[in-house]
DNA sequence: GATGAATGAGACTTCATTCAT
DNA sequence: CATGAATGAAGTCTCATTCAT
């Protein structure tokens, strides 16, 4: 029995090692620079072994994306469960994206960009994980609307999508051009992001 | 004389044929799917011939990106020169992105995403073309602020970046998930985009 | 255990097979005719496999050059360790070049000509291997001078360079025009080489 | 009549332009870096035009080699006709190689190395040009022998070959490693070459 | 004669995936 | 289970030569 468990544990460890190595590689070479030779080297496993745990490179990517989404969901969930006002909650959720972006840059990229390159193939679980994120944001926005703070002509689901899209856009800009924008215009990343948040919140608030 | 002109015209035509074939390939296989074998096949030229017109694959990409940016600049410029109120102008500019996205999807992708993968290497001309776009939007937002319609605590350059980033984010979402969002939530692309625009405009307007 | 050893042996065999195929190709097409397609074909390996053993074509060339140099060094070392008079030693060393040239023509070419096309890039090990050859010849010439048989106005290092350069020149001539010279003037390669040797030795000897 | 002559003169000019451009290219990129695209650009002729004057890249190379040989022959001839002692003549001829090497480095390379890569195909004229060089050196050595200054056991033709081969070897070493030898051992190129010459001359002289 | 656009074989290298051990 | 050697298609780019105009 315990042998079986140990084996399972080891198997799990191997999976983690692979994912961790893949993360390292992508942090170094970018989202499209995932390379199984390097993953094998970094995880100290044989290349063939990778295929015992993941049926393709694509699956590694999908698994990491799933985790990334789940990780963000966790953050959102924490905030959702806090006992604070709906606008503050909204602010916190928006800010959580920025924190996520700074602390888990690869996860952020996966959450933002995975869909762009794999629109058609998403499997059930992966798809669900995406819905979950939307749903949480949707709830928070709905609550805010119900509390009377938000314009009633705004459809909460539409606003959810708007928020998500704009947030991703803002953070991608920061990633790609953040330092240039600071150098050239003296606009710090934090200022840029806060500005975005304030505009969005005033944008959906009642006058 | 006319022979020379004809030759030049033909040369220009070939260049266009290559760019057109490259566009086709990228429309089919994505921004990262540009493949010179296919370009050669589609343009009915030998592979080597491509290198008479562009010194590398990268140059094809850069050329298309430059054109894409110039094309968007032209649209923005038209609007900038119209004799209409500053808020209407702003609205028109934002909408122009959506039109651009619908009519020239590849160009839109290039304008949105080229930087993400070539941040460091941009040459003078290409860099300028990017600045030009920002500058136009900046002017329009500045004008609106000077006319007293926009919050004074908003820095125009920051708002310019916010607008650009959010617009790109919104349109990328529409590209990737537009039809799904419509199917599932009944939110049409147009509605989604308009909502974004209204939120942004109310977000920067004086109350 | 023995499995591991066998695998290592097989790996080593493959490396050798590649080097051997490369040697064949170069013997047939010349020093500059090394072509990985042919090497793959001759070694009955896939092209990609070559890159498991050598990181580039250049590395194959460098490896063969290193071996060639080491092979010549071994010959020189044997002679250096013989207990014979210094002039006889010198004669034997010079002759060893000719033997090397006849028995390992590709190695000889690599030893003679590799530098000409890679002057700047030589790595540590390769560079060392070149020094080693010079050093041995230098020692032999120095010994001869110390024994009083050689002109004292001759700097041993200069003479070393002179000997090396002239030997290579002579053997390159024999390679390229040897048979023609025999046919036309009835001068056998051996005679030509011996003549060179005698001239050189008398040239550095005390009168 | 004069029209025909003008045309011929122009044709000759074009040929020269091509050869001159080819020389430039090879000086910059080495003996094996001859590239017809660059030749066309430098000579301001169309690529196709090159083929009206030379039937292949190879022929350009052969023509330049012929000229290089003729140029060296001219130098040797001058010396041969001088009224000086046979040993001084020999010294001068040897030195002429060094001068040739310094002043016309590409020509020197062609004279030294062309054969190595084209041993089989040499045409009549080219072959003759090579013979001519040997013949001159042969005469000079023969004269010296007849004057009683040179060992009688030395066959003049063999010595001719020895001299040529050793000289080429020495100058190739200087070309490839000259500066390194200076840096490392403090042996200047001139010293190295002179040393070679003295060794050779003493080597063939009567004791 | 002159042009130069076009060709296309061929070179090197990469990498996801397979499979015998 | 694990290995890692082997594969081979695919990709970018070069360049001597040809040929329609």
């Amino acid at each position: 029995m315990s042998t079986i468990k140990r084996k399972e544990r080891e198997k799990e460890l191997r999976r983690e090692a692979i994912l961790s190595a893949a993360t390292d590689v992508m942090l170094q070479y970018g989202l499209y620079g995932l390379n199984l030779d390097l993953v094998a080297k970094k995880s100290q496993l044989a290349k063939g072994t990778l295929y015992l745990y993941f049926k393709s490179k694509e699956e590694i990517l999908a698994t990491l994306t799933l985790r990334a989404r789940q990780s963000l969901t966790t953050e959102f969930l924490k905030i959702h469960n806090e006992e604070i006002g709906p606008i503050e909650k909204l602010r916190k959720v928006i800010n959580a994206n920025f924190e996520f972006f700074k602390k888990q840059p690869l996860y952020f990229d996966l959450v933002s960009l995975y869909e762009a390159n794999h629109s058609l193939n998403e499997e059930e679980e992966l798809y669900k994980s995406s819905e979950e994120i939307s749903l949480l944001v949707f709830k928070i926005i709905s609550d805010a609307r119900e509390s009377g703070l938000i314009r009633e002509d705004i459809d909460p689901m539409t606003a959810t999508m708007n928020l998500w899209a704009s947030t991703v856009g803002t953070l991608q800009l920061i990633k790609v051009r953040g330092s240039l924008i600071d150098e050239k215009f003296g606009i710090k990343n934090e200022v840029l992001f806060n500005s975005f948040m304030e505009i969005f919140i005033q944008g959906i608030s009642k006058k």
Side-chain angles (χ1 to χ4, degrees), chain A:
Chain A
M1 275 298 114
S2 87
T3 328
I4 289 172
K5 273 199 178 153
R6 184 166 52 74
K7 286 219 167 168
E8 268 173 22
R9 223 166 37 235
E10 272 174 12
K11 225 178 137 169
E12 194 48 39
L13 281 176
R14 286 246 213 281
R15 252 184 99 84
E16 292 309 317
I18 292 168
L19 293 172
S20 162
T23 302
D24 285 358
V25 171
M26 291 166 92
L27 279 172
Q28 196 171 351
Y29 298 99
L31 217 51
Y32 306 107
L34 182 51
N35 171 313
L36 295 194
D37 267 292
L38 285 173
V39 172
K41 201 164 287 170
K42 288 222 181 197
S43 62
Q44 294 185 304
L45 292 169
K47 223 171 8 161
T49 309
L50 306 183
Y51 283 83
L52 298 175
Y53 293 89
F54 298 94
K55 74 170 195 288
S56 70
K57 170 178 156 171
E58 183 50 36
E59 201 183 86
I60 296 178
L61 223 50
T63 304
L64 284 172
T65 301
L66 179 61
R67 293 201 175 183
R69 286 173 180 174
Q70 286 168 341
S71 172
L72 188 58
T73 301
T74 304
E75 296 305 316
F76 283 6
L77 213 47
K78 276 189 219 158
I79 293 163
H80 182 250
N81 291 332
E82 287 184 34
E83 304 234 342
I84 50 179
I87 291 295
E88 198 185 341
K89 206 175 265 188
L90 184 56
R91 238 183 259 282
K92 276 203 164 183
V93 159
I94 297 174
N95 262 317
N97 285 292
F98 193 29
E99 292 304 313
F100 188 65
F101 164 78
K102 285 188 288 189
K103 291 191 187 136
Q104 311 216 55
L106 177 67
Y107 270 15
F108 174 76
D109 263 9
L110 286 167
V111 164
S112 309
L113 302 177
Y114 182 80
E115 286 174 341
N117 293 78
H118 308 82
S119 349
L120 306 169
N121 321 18
E122 284 200 27
E123 286 179 14
E124 189 61 15
E125 198 182 5
L126 202 49
Y127 178 68
K128 280 274 166 66
S129 72
S130 172
E131 257 190 339
E132 223 170 344
I133 294 177
S134 309
L135 194 61
L136 269 169
V137 179
F138 174 75
K139 273 185 197 155
I140 290 169
I141 288 185
S142 293
D143 287 354
R145 199 172 84 149
E146 270 162 37
S147 76
L149 296 166
I150 282 186
R151 286 157 56 184
E152 308 211 333
D153 62 323
I154 278 190
D155 168 52
M157 185 50 82
T158 307
T160 296
M161 296 299 157
N162 289 146
L163 176 54
W164 177 251
S166 298
T167 306
V168 164
T170 301
L171 290 173
Q172 286 297 341
L173 179 66
I174 287 175
K175 187 181 78 170
V176 173
R177 283 288 180 255
S179 46
L180 189 72
I181 291 170
D182 186 2
E183 276 167 39
K184 222 177 141 195
F185 306 117
I187 304 170
K188 300 270 173 225
N189 295 345
E190 281 73 17
V191 171
L192 193 60
F193 191 80
N194 275 330
S195 171
F196 151 69
M197 182 167 62
E198 293 311 324
I199 290 171
F200 183 83
I201 287 179
Q202 170 168 332
I204 61 169
S205 298
K206 279 190 179 154
K207 298 187 192 181

